[in-house]
Amino acid sequence: MGMNKEQEISRRSFFHKVGTAGVAVVAAGTTLTSAPRQASASAIDALVAERLGAGDVAYEKVLIDTPPSAENGALVRIPVSVDHPMESDNYIQSIAIFVDNNPKPFVGQFDFTPESGRAAVECRIKMAKTSQVRAIAKTNAGKLYGFKQEIQVAEGGCAG
Amino acid sequence: MAIGKPKVRGPRKAVAKGEVVQFKSLIKHPMESGLRKNQETGQAIPAHYIESVTVVYGGKTVLSATWTGSISKNPFFSFYVKAAKTGDVTVTWKDNQGKEFTANSSLKVA
């Protein structure tokens, strides 16, 4: 019994520390936080399927060219581009952007035509806190390519 | 807060046919997500954001976008267009309260 109580206390103090250093723990990606993060990832997968259709995402060809940390979560630069032809029968049809840890992870979608010439846009987004940011692109044939990067946010932007 | 003042800017000089050119656009808009509360009254601030953007060139929609309240306020947006012939590149923003804004930039194709 005495043993259990000791364990209980050490667990509590551990959780207390986790609470105060939550951001660091998330960044380190310990086993403790992996469960909810996975749940969140599958929710994102469902959102991707809803926006762009179901399918495996190949994490290649797409790039979000932004630093891994942002001072201000209210204004995070997202220049996104896809290295892919824009020909009449072979082009990028859509790029959708998601922020896993935002209250509403779907941020926006851009739909292209071959006349767009290049599947590249830049926008600025809000991030509530440090999060994985994803850009998922779909070809006219329905193939999915993607890119994901964690962006550290020093100060959260007004609830995305 | 001021709303509107839509702007779009492309290359000033003529470009070659087939060249892919960048355009930059800007509009003043609060982009309220509907998730924020007034700090003093505690009342929810109603959602007010641009939900669609279209780019028309040569009489055809060459690009469009669906936005949410997670796009930053006073949204900057850049995109590319493949030059085909001289004409306007017209950007239209529509918000969730039914307001519509339009700006043009003329593209000269040599």
Side-chain angles (χ1 to χ4, degrees):
Chain A
M1 278 302 265
M3 192 69 171
N4 282 345
K5 199 169 182 183
E6 242 177 63
Q7 281 175 346
E8 184 66 24
I9 288 166
S10 70
R11 269 183 47 183
R12 276 189 191 173
S13 68
F14 177 65
F15 279 117
H16 182 70
K17 281 173 195 154
V18 167
T20 53
V23 172
V25 170
V26 169
T30 67
T31 48
L32 235 185
T33 54
S34 71
R37 277 165 69 83
Q38 273 170 10
S40 152
S42 73
I44 300 294
D45 289 344
L47 276 177
V48 171
E50 189 184 307
R51 300 294 325 182
L52 302 174
D56 290 334
V57 179
Y59 281 90
E60 55 178 340
K61 296 185 191 290
V62 184
L63 176 69
I64 300 175
D65 188 13
T66 202
S69 66
E71 285 274 311
N72 179 1
L75 195 88
V76 182
R77 280 183 62 225
I78 302 291
V80 55
S81 60
V82 188
D83 182 12
H84 192 278
M86 292 298 272
E87 294 158 359
S88 58
D89 56 350
N90 180 27
Y91 63 96
I92 296 296
Q93 201 170 64
S94 302
I95 300 175
I97 295 165
F98 303 88
V99 177
D100 290 24
N101 293 344
N102 268 8
K104 292 182 180 175
F106 172 66
V107 169
Q109 179 171 332
F110 302 89
D111 297 316
F112 303 90
T113 64
E115 290 78 19
S116 312
R118 203 178 156 209
V121 290
E122 181 178 332
C123 61
R124 283 147 201 196
I125 69 169
K126 298 177 200 169
M127 291 182 64
K129 55 186 167 189
T130 294
S131 175
Q132 193 91 249
V133 177
R134 300 164 196 252
I136 312 292
K138 181 177 79 167
T139 68
N140 60 315
K143 182 152 180 42
L144 301 180
Y145 294 105
F147 179 86
K148 52 185 172 183
Q149 181 186 332
E150 181 165 284
I151 299 180
Q152 302 272 341
V153 173
E155 195 182 330
C158 30
Chain B
M1 177 186 162
I3 292 187
K5 293 194 180 173
K7 281 180 212 163
V8 56
R9 201 168 64 189
R12 258 174 271 170
K13 291 179 180 170
V15 301
K17 187 179 175 182
E19 199 174 320
V20 175
V21 291
Q22 190 183 41
F23 285 80
K24 294 176 179 181
S25 72
L26 200 60
I27 186 168
K28 286 199 180 296
H29 202 283
M31 298 301 283
E32 279 295 348
S33 63
L35 302 175
R36 289 203 314 146
K37 281 182 180 164
N38 182 312
Q39 299 283 356
E40 284 160 21
T41 65
Q43 280 191 319
I45 300 172
H48 188 198
Y49 58 86
I50 292 164
E51 55 185 11
S52 86
V53 186
T54 56
V55 179
V56 173
Y57 170 54
K60 194 185 166 190
T61 300
V62 293
L63 191 145
S64 59
T66 305
W67 286 359
T68 66
S70 295
I71 298 285
S72 304
K73 74 172 180 183
N74 301 334
F76 168 87
F77 170 46
S78 78
F79 54 91
Y80 290 86
V81 166
K82 191 175 184 178
K85 57 181 179 184
T86 297
D88 278 352
V89 171
T90 305
V91 181
T92 304
W93 296 258
K94 285 179 195 161
D95 75 19
N96 67 325
Q97 296 183 2
K99 289 193 199 74
E100 203 174 301
F101 311 90
T102 297
N104 285 320
S105 174
S106 64
L107 178 63
K108 294 181 202 74
V109 179

